Amino acid sequence: MILTSGRLVEYEGGGDETRSNPWLAELQQDMFVEMNPFDANGKNIRNGDMVWVKTPEGAQIKVMAQVTERVAKGVAFLPFHFGGHLEGKDLRSKYPEGADPYVLGESANTAFTYGYDSVTLMQESKCSLCTIERV
Amino acid sequence: MARMKFLCDAERCIECNACVTACKNEHEVPWGVNRRRVVTIQDGKPGERSISVACMHCSDAPCTAVCPVDCFYQTEQGVVLHSKDLCIGCGYCFYACPFGAPQYPQAGNYGSRGKMDKCTFCAGGPEEDMSSLEFQKYGRNRLAEGKLPICAEMCSTKALLAGDGDQVANIFRERIVARGFGSGAWGWGTAYSIKG
Ligand code: SF4
Ligand code: SF4
């Protein structure tokens, strides 16, 4: 599937500050992947199931499936404001005491490729590939 | 005296949740209690619409009718308020309310309900206006400060209107006239291929 990423209205950038704000964190408590009902049905995935998003370089992230027609068939979307989980492991205990945000989740960057723009050195965060499987 | 009302224009709401966030911040509403929330229908599909919902401060309020301890009262401006000293957390008002407004913080380890909390139209409660006790129990009393509800003030698209019901109705009427159609004309999109 084509993998892309983008923003949520509640969070900003990597999300550490905004996920540390209780009013905002309460509104988005889970890192997720949006997928079309057509793709989800084919893989026996229901809305709210935990899934592995696996990418060509061997990375995998464990996120919640959001089944929606907002994305086209064959496209998966990740929001990029989460961090603090790495390939299914919760790293909350590694934060200095009192510095951990209310909400943690897999970082979209874990799943994206090594590609980057040679002029600006900006990483490729819009276009990659993945497969999705139920956990 | 003005009769306070809310109106949410589903043609304008963009589900940004600014109203929800502003309310929580203004009144320091705890995690899990929501005085206001945004409901989206047809999420991710053509015709998606969002609407911001809280206590509507009804004229003949069902919560007031069912409360066994009579903790509700209506101010001269039509705002429905309640006393947390009288409330016993029975939950009747939640079942009576057509908008799902009443919220209950968890009180004990067995999931028992605490004192009900809901939108106050930013008008505090029975304690002395703008006292710290009032803030602690009911949040800020913006009406006593001469201000309107923070949710509507903060709304980026002015989908959410709050204030004197006559003025709110006039603003909405002007919008409908300018659009030539609107939420009063549901089905125009399908019938006449006009986005609506
Ligand atoms: S009027 Fe005040 S208490 Fe009610 S939803 Fe708006 S901000 Fe919250
Ligand atoms: S602030 Fe306004 S536009 Fe944003 S969700 Fe609330 S009502 Fe809708």
Side-chain angles (χ1 to χ4, degrees), chain B residues 56-136:
Chain B
M56 290 293 277
H57 305 276
C58 308
S59 305
D60 188 7
C63 52
T64 311
V66 299
C67 178
V69 294
D70 272 338
C71 78
F72 293 94
Y73 63 101
Q74 196 155 21
T75 69
E76 284 180 333
Q77 295 177 309
V79 177
V80 177
L81 297 177
H82 72 294
S83 159
K84 288 194 182 179
D85 297 327
L86 295 177
C87 172
I88 53 172
C90 70
Y92 283 18
C93 54
F94 178 77
Y95 293 103
C97 177
F99 304 102
Q103 303 273 303
Y104 309 85
Q106 192 179 326
N109 292 337
Y110 299 101
S112 58
R113 295 190 190 98
K115 310 272 185 202
M116 188 272 278
D117 188 78
K118 71 166 189 69
C119 161
T120 60
F121 209 87
C122 290
E127 309 295 343
E128 191 194 327
D129 279 357
M130 302 189 275
S131 62
S132 58
L133 205 58
E134 185 187 50
F135 180 81
Q136 196 194 319

Side-chain angles (χ1 to χ4, degrees), chain A residues 113-125:
Chain A
T113 66
Y114 56 82
Y116 65 95
D117 181 276
S118 58
V119 178
T120 63
L121 301 186
M122 188 72 196
Q123 85 274 15
E124 169 59 271
S125 62

Side-chain angles (χ1 to χ4, degrees), chain B residues 8 12-20 36 38 50-52 151 154-160:
Chain B
C8 184
R12 285 197 175 207
C13 177
I14 56 170
E15 198 200 350
C16 70
N17 276 306
C19 47
V20 174
R36 178 168 285 289
V38 179
S50 294
I51 180 159
S52 175
C151 49
M154 202 64 97
C155 177
S156 51
T157 62
K158 291 289 166 268
L160 185 62

Side-chain angles (χ1 to χ4, degrees), chain A residues 97-132:
Chain A
E97 212 186 309
D100 51 328
Y102 292 98
V103 167
L104 301 180
E106 293 273 6
S107 163
N109 282 344
T110 309
F112 272 82
T113 66
Y114 56 82
Y116 65 95
D117 181 276
S118 58
V119 178
T120 63
L121 301 186
M122 188 72 196
Q123 85 274 15
E124 169 59 271
S125 62
K126 293 296 161 198
C127 189
S128 187
L129 293 170
C130 73
T131 58
I132 300 181

Side-chain angles (χ1 to χ4, degrees), chain A residues 9-38:
Chain A
V9 71
E10 288 84 359
Y11 294 149
E12 180 269 336
D16 282 305
E17 296 94 340
T18 39
R19 281 182 287 108
S20 300
N21 174 319
W23 318 140
L24 297 172
E26 193 186 353
L27 293 167
Q28 288 290 355
Q29 301 182 22
D30 298 288
M31 169 62 181
F32 60 88
V33 58
E34 283 183 349
M35 56 193 301
N36 188 278
F38 180 85

Side-chain angles (χ1 to χ4, degrees), chain B residues 6 18-27 29 34-37 52-55 57 117-124 138-140 142-143 148-154 160 162:
Chain B
F6 278 127
C19 47
V20 174
T21 312
C23 174
K24 292 214 117 183
N25 188 56
E26 188 79 348
H27 306 294
V29 185
N34 289 287
R35 289 181 170 194
R36 178 168 285 289
R37 61 179 89 224
S52 175
V53 193
C55 168
H57 305 276
D117 188 78
K118 71 166 189 69
C119 161
T120 60
F121 209 87
C122 290
Y138 307 100
R140 264 183 75 182
R142 292 175 56 90
L143 290 199
L148 286 171
I150 191 77
C151 49
E153 298 268 289
M154 202 64 97
L160 185 62

